[in-house]
């Protein structure tokens, strides 16, 4: 696992953009995308470049259950606002938050992921170690599935809603095995709140109690962070 630490957030995001451009120049055509506050500066930088995704396909990690695509807090809306309206892909796929049958929807989405294998997967990381919406305890063998969100995850996302009561309690997410099939993974870990979970990941812990530790077994992961190594304390 390669780790690059940056003292400048601008440098961190510039390096992330360069990594994505390099992947595309080396033939990547299918990109797994992520949402959240960590990704907004990245997408803003991408939109200022001349990179062309018009022959590429994108897949999003997850989507809230119960929100239509036009809802301002849906991830479909987020992606259109921050990236896809400015940098359209040939096709962009997200789970359908209004799907009637969760089993049918998760099978549909997983089928698409297997039909179009991911060349590149972009990830953030939750304070509890979740990647996508794979909460602690999720099987490392999991495929796309319906998940009930932990209260800590709902609290972390409540800032985007008028109140915690409006935050959905369930979501569709790529499974950990679905994520691990990607040829290349770029993980952004930004902010002091992510230090503890990042240290567990880099220590090569491998436990379903911290979903992100599955990445320690992937052959091609790059981690970009603004967190500097702490000096040993006597």
């Amino acid at each position: 696992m390669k780790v690059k630490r940056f003292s400048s957030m601008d440098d961190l995001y510039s390096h992330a953009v360069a990594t994505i451009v390099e992947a595309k120049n080396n033939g990547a055509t299918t990109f797994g995308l992520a949402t959240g506050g960590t990704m907004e500066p990245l997408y803003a930088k991408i939109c200022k470049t001349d990179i062309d995704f018009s022959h590429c396909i994108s897949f999003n990690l997850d989507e809230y259950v119960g929100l239509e695509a036009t809802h301002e807090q849906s991830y479909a809306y987020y992606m259109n606002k921050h990236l896809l309206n400015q940098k359209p892909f040939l096709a962009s796929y997200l789970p359908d938050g209004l799907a009637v049958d969760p089993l049918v929807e998760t099978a549909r989405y997983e089928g698409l992921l297997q039909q179009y294998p991911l060349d590149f997967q972009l990830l953030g990381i939750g304070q509890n170690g979740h990647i996508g919406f794979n909460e602690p305890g999720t099987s490392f063998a999991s495929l796309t599935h319906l998940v009930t969100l932990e209260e800590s995850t709902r609290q972390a996302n409540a800032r985007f809603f008028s109140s915690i009561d409006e935050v959905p309690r369930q979501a569709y997410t790529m499974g950990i095995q679905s994520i691990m099939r990607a040829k290349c993974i770029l993980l952004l870990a930004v902010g002091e709140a992510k230090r503890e979970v990042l240290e567990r990941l880099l220590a090569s812990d491998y436990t379903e109690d911290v979903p992100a530790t599955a990445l320690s077994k992937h052959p091609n992961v790059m981690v970009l962070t603004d967190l500097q190594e702490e000096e040993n304390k006597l």
Side-chain angles (χ1 to χ4, degrees), residues 161-174:
F161 293 81
S162 298
S163 73
I164 184 66
D165 294 332
E166 293 184 7
V167 183
R169 297 180 182 276
Q170 292 184 308
Y172 292 115
T173 186
M174 287 187 201

Side-chain angles (χ1 to χ4, degrees), residues 5 22 29 68 74 87 102 105 116 127 149 152 173-174 177 196 200 205 207 211 214 222:
R5 300 177 186 270
E22 181 181 12
T29 59
E68 58 189 12
S74 75
K87 293 290 182 180
E105 177 57 17
Y116 303 104
Q127 292 183 43
L149 301 177
S152 62
T173 186
M174 287 187 201
Q177 185 180 144
E196 181 178 353
R200 292 197 67 177
D205 281 354
T207 171
M222 178 176 287

